[in-house]
Amino acid sequence: MAPHNLEDNIRKKLDARSIQPSANAWDKLEAKLDATKPKKRPVFWYLAAASFVGFVIVTSVFLFTNNPEIENQIVENNNLNAPVYDDDSKKLNNNFEDAKIASEDNTKEVPPQNSSTKQDAEKQTGVAKQKPALSQKSKIDTKIKDNRAIAKTSAKQNTTPKSVEELIVDENDDFFKNKVNEVVASVKKLQEDNDNITATEVENLLNNARRDIEMQRILNNQKVDANALLQDVEWELEKSFRDKVFEALGEGFNKVRTAVLERND
Amino acid sequence: MKIIPLHKEYSQLIAKAAKDNRRAQQQLFKIFAPKMMSVCRQYLKNNTKAEEVMLAGFFKVFNHLKDYRNEGSFEGWIRRIMVNESISQLRKDKKLHFVHEAKIENTEVHATFIETSLETDEIQKMIDNLPDGYRTVFILYAVEGYKHSEIAEMLQINESTSKSQLFKARKMLQTTIKKQNNISYGAS
């Protein structure tokens, strides 16, 4: 037997050795490794929650940016509903026309009545003179009042429960009432000023009133052509820009010219 | 020479195992567990304890696999983890009491040529009979090849303590072998 260095022998033998672990050794280790996984899960859940919150924020921002469109849609809906309102106004206008016809009838009736009153005046006293005029006035008043009442009721009947529409109709109704009152007042004034009121005068008054109402309706519609507005602005901007460029060119040209001239001198 | 191709072979498995791939981890375990079990058994007196420590070591290996930089052999890396795990286990069990002994002479004389070829089981038995402190230092020095300075750092002891522990361990082993030889000679 060759002499052995004890330590070399021990090292070689031990290095060459391998001991098989028990059969369930890996299962134990795997269980231990899996047990540490829940530690990582919270991070995953935090990430998931964070991404969800981010998604919500992004979508909300996206929705917010889209809001104007939605609002526009609402406006468009109002416009779509506008025919109802238009119908209302038409009806109101019809009523107004009825009123006009009625008042025209009244005014038409005026001259003969006036003549008759004149004729009567010859027979009756001055006090009695005023009576027919007053009664006539009251007649017109009552007719107009009736018409207003009809307009009111028709407006009320035609209004749908939608609040926006109601608001517009109410607004318009007020305006309409004011107009009617104005017309009535002016007719009364005319009557008071002149005994003779021609049909054309009254018609002019009514036409003016109608135009005002139409204008109001257009204003209420709030339909503005955005493109037209933009084009206008662009045209103006372009114009000013062109002017500036031309000015700059002109200035530059003048400077160069004076410089050249001075040098020549 | 063979280490390099083997090392390259492992690198794919290691990369997968680092990403928590259980199958790759299991394969690495199958390859290295028996060897590491043997390493742990050098420090711990029975297989059950050795396996416990070996599993704890592999748990650390897989959790720190991302830190492994492919520098040096993978086996060496795992082995170091196993040794550290064994030492910390011994420390936990309060088995590493090193009494500082100031003067031990002739600690450098240690070449032990004995006309005997011990079998692995006999060697293990002999080592098991050494006190924990002696055994740990002896294995670290004679088997793992650490220097006294390294051992002193690992066990948080003085270098001289490490040397004295080794000296005592050698003495004990020699006497044991001599006794065995005497017995065997006496028997024959």
Side-chain angles (χ1 to χ4, degrees):
Chain A
M1 265 199 202
H4 285 272
N5 184 319
L6 175 69
E7 281 163 39
D8 274 350
N9 183 29
I10 289 170
R11 187 173 60 243
K12 277 175 190 165
K13 285 272 160 67
L14 288 179
D15 270 346
R17 180 181 68 173
S18 62
I19 306 165
Q20 278 299 325
S22 61
N24 62 346
W26 168 250
D27 296 334
K28 278 185 198 170
L29 179 61
E30 198 177 19
K32 218 178 163 189
L33 286 166
D34 285 339
T36 54
K37 263 196 167 180
K39 277 180 188 173
K40 284 175 185 175
R41 264 178 205 158
V43 178
F44 168 76
W45 283 115
Y46 279 130
L47 277 172
S51 58
F52 177 73
V53 168
F55 173 75
V56 166
I57 288 165
V58 165
T59 46
S60 63
V61 164
F62 183 72
L63 286 173
F64 264 109
T65 49
N66 276 3
N67 259 356
E69 275 179 36
I70 291 158
E71 274 167 19
N72 280 345
Q73 276 176 353
I74 289 161
V75 171
E76 274 169 21
N77 283 341
N78 284 341
N79 288 342
L80 285 172
N81 288 331
V84 179
Y85 152 76
D86 277 350
D87 284 349
D88 283 354
S89 65
K90 268 179 196 169
K91 276 173 188 171
L92 292 173
N93 278 346
N94 285 342
N95 289 331
F96 194 73
E97 271 167 13
D98 287 347
K100 190 183 89 181
I101 290 156
S103 58
E104 269 177 77
D105 285 345
N106 287 339
T107 48
K108 272 173 190 172
E109 279 168 22
V110 169
Q113 273 181 354
N114 274 354
S115 60
S116 66
T117 49
K118 274 177 188 173
Q119 283 166 2
D120 288 343
E122 284 167 12
K123 294 170 188 175
Q124 288 173 2
T125 57
V127 182
K129 239 186 192 176
Q130 287 173 349
K131 269 189 180 174
L134 282 171
S135 64
Q136 205 179 301
K137 260 191 205 169
S138 62
K139 259 187 192 173
I140 292 163
D141 282 356
T142 49
K143 275 202 174 177
I144 285 164
K145 269 179 192 168
D146 285 348
N147 282 334
R148 255 195 281 166
I150 289 158
K152 255 192 195 171
T153 48
S154 64
K156 272 180 188 171
Q157 278 166 358
N158 286 318
T159 47
T160 49
K162 283 185 181 177
S163 59
V164 183
E165 230 170 278
E166 257 177 9
L167 269 171
I168 289 163
V169 170
D170 283 352
E171 223 174 78
N172 221 52
D173 209 27
D174 287 344
F175 182 76
F176 187 79
K177 274 185 216 165
N178 288 338
K179 268 290 142 192
V180 168
N181 287 338
E182 264 179 48
V183 171
V184 170
S186 52
V187 167
K188 276 180 186 175
K189 214 182 175 187
L190 273 172
Q191 263 184 341
E192 277 167 14
D193 291 347
N194 306 321
D195 283 345
N196 288 327
I197 306 163
T198 55
T200 49
E201 271 178 324
V202 176
E203 208 165 331
N204 277 339
L205 269 174
L206 288 170
N207 278 338
N208 285 338
R210 200 189 301 167
R211 215 177 297 140
D212 285 345
I213 289 160
E214 293 256 310
M215 273 291 286
Q216 183 66 21
R217 209 175 64 193
I218 287 159
L219 284 172
N220 278 351
N221 255 353
Q222 291 174 341
K223 232 185 188 177
V224 183
D225 193 349
N227 278 334
L229 274 171
L230 276 171
Q231 272 177 353
D232 277 358
V233 171
E234 267 175 26
W235 172 243
E236 277 171 22
L237 275 172
E238 249 178 51
K239 215 176 161 186
S240 60
F241 177 71
R242 270 184 306 183
D243 288 347
K244 275 179 190 171
V245 167
F246 283 136
E247 270 174 36
L249 279 173
E251 269 178 39
F253 176 71
N254 282 335
K255 271 181 190 170
V256 168
R257 197 176 59 180
T258 49
V260 167
L261 284 171
E262 276 167 12
R263 193 195 62 180
N264 287 345
D265 289 340
Chain B
M1 294 293 269
K2 275 182 186 175
I3 290 166
I4 296 160
L6 274 174
H7 184 58
K8 274 185 181 172
E9 243 173 67
Y10 295 145
S11 63
Q12 276 192 330
L13 264 182
I14 293 162
K16 279 185 187 175
K19 286 172 186 168
D20 234 16
N21 184 321
R22 280 281 177 280
R23 281 191 70 186
Q25 286 175 346
Q26 189 175 9
Q27 272 180 286
L28 284 175
F29 181 79
K30 269 188 181 174
I31 293 163
F32 292 106
K35 184 90 219 123
M36 296 310 142
M37 182 87 170
S38 166
V39 170
C40 294
R41 180 68 182 85
Q42 292 167 8
Y43 301 90
L44 300 146
K45 279 189 182 176
N46 60 66
N47 279 354
T48 317
K49 200 81 188 165
E51 189 179 290
E52 223 173 80
V53 171
M54 183 266 291
L55 289 177
F58 265 105
F59 181 72
K60 278 191 180 169
V61 164
F62 291 138
N63 275 339
H64 294 92
L65 211 50
K66 287 159 199 160
D67 305 330
Y68 175 63
R69 298 266 171 256
N70 278 320
E71 291 160 2
S73 80
F74 183 61
E75 193 183 323
W77 187 69
I78 302 180
R79 197 181 176 114
R80 208 153 51 242
I81 290 171
M82 293 300 165
V83 170
N84 284 333
E85 199 60 29
S86 301
I87 291 166
S88 66
Q89 184 58 50
L90 287 172
R91 205 174 275 144
K92 235 186 255 174
D93 297 344
K94 294 184 176 172
K95 283 182 176 172
L96 287 182
H97 294 294
F98 298 101
V99 181
H100 181 71
E101 286 154 81
K103 283 181 185 175
I104 290 154
E105 283 137 32
N106 295 327
T107 49
E108 301 304 318
V109 184
H110 46 247
T112 41
F113 290 96
I114 296 164
E115 281 185 46
T116 178
S117 172
L118 291 166
E119 287 309 306
T120 316
D121 284 349
E122 287 173 299
I123 291 167
Q124 186 62 60
K125 258 185 202 170
M126 266 169 49
I127 290 166
D128 284 346
N129 285 329
L130 289 172
D132 293 299
Y134 292 9
R135 184 175 61 244
T136 307
V137 173
F138 178 77
I139 296 290
L140 286 173
Y141 187 90
V143 180
E144 305 290 347
Y146 287 105
K147 292 169 191 166
H148 280 300
S149 58
E150 290 170 326
I151 294 164
E153 205 182 307
M154 284 166 88
L155 300 176
Q156 294 167 337
I157 54 171
N158 290 331
E159 233 182 282
S160 59
T161 310
S162 172
K163 280 176 187 174
S164 70
Q165 295 284 316
L166 179 70
F167 176 76
K168 283 175 184 172
R170 274 174 177 159
K171 254 197 159 179
M172 263 189 94
L173 286 172
Q174 279 168 12
T175 48
T176 313
I177 289 163
K178 271 177 192 169
K179 262 189 204 168
Q180 279 184 346
N181 283 348
N182 285 341
I183 291 161
S184 60
Y185 289 138
S188 57

